[in-house]
Amino acid sequence: MFSAVLIDKGDAGQTVGVTDLDDAQLPQGPDDNVSIDVEYSTLNYKDGLAITGKSPVVRKFPMVPGIDLAGVVTESSHADWKTGDRVVLNGWGVGETHWGGLAQRARLNGDWLVPLPPQFTSRQAMAIGTAGYTAALCVDALLRHGVSPDEGEVLVTGATGGVGSVAIALLSTAGFKVVAATGKSSEETYLQQLGAVAVLDRAELAEAGKPLQKERWAGVVDTVGSHTLANACAQTRYGGAVAACGLAQGMDFPATVAPFILRGVSLLGIDSVMAPKKPRLAAWERLSRDLDAGALDSIAREIPLGKAIDAAGRLMDGKVRGRVIVDVNR
């Protein structure tokens, strides 16, 4: 038996709770070829949507949420993995169409796993989680595009969230002057500790603006979407790039083509869920090289599995800063 958060849905609507399950209830599909003792998971925005039912993230019921996990392989028929290997999983539809990481055990497709970098413990890997891994994908995309520190400031929106927090730390380490946009003025010290050189009130970006605005940003990591993304593009300097990975304000994009055809701005879409293995490994290599362990301590806080449901509600209410690590074994 093992404990897990379980979401179900019946005639009366969605229910969610922490319950005990039997190993025989784990997924038994033809590609479910690796069994894992989970050590830590996390709470991401998508997990919050799933647990609270605020968006139809879950596609089949019953469902164990949790799009991230880190743990130890206990059984494997996959060529890449053997018993005792330490692994990380991010995305691939776990917590949506396949049982995820908010449980003490998991069984899934070994193709979805990457090795836990030796620089990190399982706990630290989950302090990073999909949020930090997505931030690394964004930074890699900006650097591949040719954005460099000598071209000016970079903007990070949704700065106190998990993606934003890690993006600030990574960009600062890479030598960029980072401006953090947030609605939480009380978190200025936190953002500066991560490496931000200035803090911008998110209200300056959140309303409709002109199609072209004063050029300011060499690059942008946007986690917000909607008017914020449109204004960020309108303020990006000639030849700059915007890495878009979130939709906290909305999935609409009320903009014109002006920044793209008059200033040569590039909009880089970042998908972390189905990203192939090569960029995943590159992202984790960047994280293991450039992310300071002390930054992880300031970004993350830990809760037991039994507190995950309550924490998901607070996450959706905007009351959570940085990353939430879930110790599934307490």
Side-chain angles (χ1 to χ4, degrees), residues 138-222:
C138 290
V139 174
D140 283 345
L142 292 178
L143 292 173
R144 279 198 309 273
H145 185 77
V147 178
S148 62
D150 60 1
E151 294 175 330
E153 297 173 315
V154 293
L155 172 70
V156 175
T157 68
T160 61
V163 177
S165 294
V166 178
I168 292 168
L170 291 176
L171 287 164
S172 176
T173 299
F176 288 93
K177 293 181 179 179
V178 184
V179 176
T182 181
K184 302 175 182 177
S185 59
S186 61
E187 301 291 2
E188 182 171 355
T189 299
Y190 164 75
L191 295 169
Q192 290 173 340
Q193 289 172 342
L194 291 176
V197 299
V199 176
L200 181 71
D201 189 337
R202 71 181 179 194
E204 296 186 31
L205 299 166
E207 303 296 331
K210 295 179 180 179
L212 282 177
Q213 301 171 36
K214 182 178 179 180
E215 296 180 60
R216 182 170 182 183
W217 317 115
V220 178
V221 173
D222 177 64

Side-chain angles (χ1 to χ4, degrees), residues 60-325:
K60 59 187 293 187
F61 295 91
M63 178 58 59
V64 173
I67 68 173
D68 290 327
L69 65 83
V72 180
V73 173
T74 58
E75 185 178 354
S76 172
S77 60
H78 191 284
D80 291 347
W81 308 108
K82 64 183 184 302
T83 300
D85 285 343
R86 306 190 71 81
V87 294
V88 176
L89 178 131
N90 308 110
W92 291 114
V94 296
E96 302 175 72
T97 60
H98 190 285
W99 279 18
L102 285 171
Q104 293 173 322
R105 294 194 180 91
R107 184 179 293 135
L108 41 76
N109 188 338
D111 289 345
W112 300 343
L113 300 170
V114 297
L116 174 70
Q119 294 87 346
F120 296 132
T121 65
S122 292
R123 185 186 187 279
Q124 289 171 328
M126 290 297 94
I128 296 166
T130 282
Y133 146 67
T134 302
L137 290 175
C138 290
V139 174
D140 283 345
L142 292 178
L143 292 173
R144 279 198 309 273
H145 185 77
V147 178
S148 62
D150 60 1
E151 294 175 330
E153 297 173 315
V154 293
L155 172 70
V156 175
T157 68
T160 61
V163 177
S165 294
V166 178
I168 292 168
L170 291 176
L171 287 164
S172 176
T173 299
F176 288 93
K177 293 181 179 179
V178 184
V179 176
T182 181
K184 302 175 182 177
S185 59
S186 61
E187 301 291 2
E188 182 171 355
T189 299
Y190 164 75
L191 295 169
Q192 290 173 340
Q193 289 172 342
L194 291 176
V197 299
V199 176
L200 181 71
D201 189 337
R202 71 181 179 194
E204 296 186 31
L205 299 166
E207 303 296 331
K210 295 179 180 179
L212 282 177
Q213 301 171 36
K214 182 178 179 180
E215 296 180 60
R216 182 170 182 183
W217 317 115
V220 178
V221 173
D222 177 64
T223 71
V224 179
S226 192
H227 288 295
T228 298
L229 175 58
N231 287 320
C233 291
Q235 295 174 11
T236 297
R237 299 174 63 174
Y238 191 94
V242 178
C245 64
L247 41 74
Q249 187 179 7
M251 64 186 302
D252 58 318
F253 184 44
T256 75
V257 297
F260 313 115
I261 64 174
L262 297 180
R263 291 182 179 165
V265 172
S266 295
L267 181 58
L268 311 174
I270 306 299
D271 168 55
S272 61
V273 178
M274 305 302 290
K277 196 161 192 175
K278 184 176 180 179
R280 287 175 183 266
L281 292 172
W284 278 100
E285 181 181 354
R286 175 172 297 280
L287 290 160
S288 62
R289 183 182 67 243
D290 293 347
L291 191 60
D292 178 66
L296 290 178
D297 291 337
S298 66
I299 289 169
R301 68 183 185 87
E302 182 182 316
I303 61 171
L305 184 65
K307 299 290 186 180
I309 296 171
D310 177 66
R314 289 187 284 107
L315 178 65
M316 289 295 93
D317 291 337
K319 297 179 180 178
V320 172
R321 182 186 81 178
R323 304 283 295 130
V324 178
I325 308 168

